[in-house]
Amino acid sequence: MAGTERPMAIVLMGAYLTQLLLFSTYSCWHNQREYAHASWPPVPQPLRRFAESDIIRTMGHTCGYAGGYGFYAPRVGSHFLTEFRLRTADGAHTVHHYPLLTTLEGRIRYRAFTDLFSNLLPTNQPTSASVALHRRISRAVARSLCERIAERAAVAHVACHIGVWYPAPLRGSGAEQPPYYLQLFKTHSRP
């Protein structure tokens, strides 16, 4: 039995490294095509089918290599959320939680960026001049995002809701606190 363990480990490691190499090739090719604005040739169909298969995607997310920056990047998460409601001239509505970002990397960076809205949290203390300035900047950024999205998507109106999600604590300290959402700010593009 001990003699078959080593060849089996070599085969499993070879299969893992092969699929990692193929997935990395696909990811690099796909990103270069996206960043070069389609001047690169399209990803070969067999490579695309392989990398987008359920088992490879699940394995990639489980192992961490298919998560963009994955769990190695600092401050990728944020409890602050944005919701953009786009309305076209004919009245159709769509909702986006990112400002029309298409890549996972862009979404991760945006989620870290949303920590900017932490200064909109209500406090029981008097507002200092620096906090008031930061709040005005946060509101201006949200308004600017609405204007840019409306222009980029060629829609009639964009409404933005900014809030924070308070998850339930992992360990209870006496009384259990349920998770809840607190809306902090609303703004919109010019009609």
Side-chain angles (χ1 to χ4, degrees):
M1 190 77 163
T4 61
E5 290 174 359
R6 187 173 178 158
M8 181 61 102
I10 291 172
V11 168
L12 289 175
M13 190 58 109
Y16 176 76
L17 292 175
T18 301
Q19 65 94 17
L20 178 64
L21 176 68
L22 289 172
F23 185 87
S24 297
T25 301
Y26 163 78
S27 181
C28 181
W29 197 320
H30 177 74
N31 287 341
Q32 284 298 329
R33 181 168 167 74
E34 182 178 319
Y35 298 136
H37 302 291
S39 65
W40 271 53
V43 178
Q45 197 63 21
L47 183 59
R48 177 181 298 280
R49 268 189 259 126
F50 171 80
E52 293 178 356
S53 68
D54 289 337
I55 192 165
I56 297 301
R57 288 172 65 184
T58 302
M59 192 170 176
H61 286 288
T62 303
C63 296
Y65 62 80
Y69 293 104
F71 46 84
Y72 300 107
R75 298 181 65 231
V76 298
S78 175
H79 294 294
F80 295 90
L81 305 170
T82 54
E83 179 182 272
F84 299 95
R85 294 180 179 269
L86 284 65
R87 188 186 70 209
T88 60
D90 62 355
H93 287 271
T94 57
V95 176
H96 301 273
H97 294 282
Y98 299 96
L100 303 182
L101 299 170
T102 57
T103 65
L104 179 61
E105 292 85 357
R107 290 177 181 164
I108 290 172
R109 285 181 180 156
Y110 180 75
R111 282 302 300 266
F113 166 77
T114 58
D115 281 342
L116 164 77
F117 299 117
S118 64
N119 56 49
L120 295 174
L121 289 170
T123 61
N124 295 331
Q125 300 165 352
T127 304
S128 68
S130 66
V131 171
L133 175 64
H134 285 244
R135 287 182 178 171
R136 287 198 315 267
I137 290 170
S138 299
R139 291 179 181 128
V141 165
R143 177 72 181 248
S144 178
L145 282 170
C146 288
E147 296 290 337
R148 289 177 182 261
I149 291 170
E151 181 181 324
R152 185 175 178 190
V155 294
H157 187 261
V158 176
C160 175
H161 299 260
I162 296 170
V164 63
W165 174 250
Y166 288 99
L170 294 176
R171 298 179 205 266
S173 57
E176 290 295 321
Q177 180 181 353
Y180 65 97
Y181 176 80
L182 174 65
Q183 184 169 305
L184 299 174
F185 182 65
K186 290 193 298 188
T187 189
H188 56 84
S189 63
R190 293 181 187 95

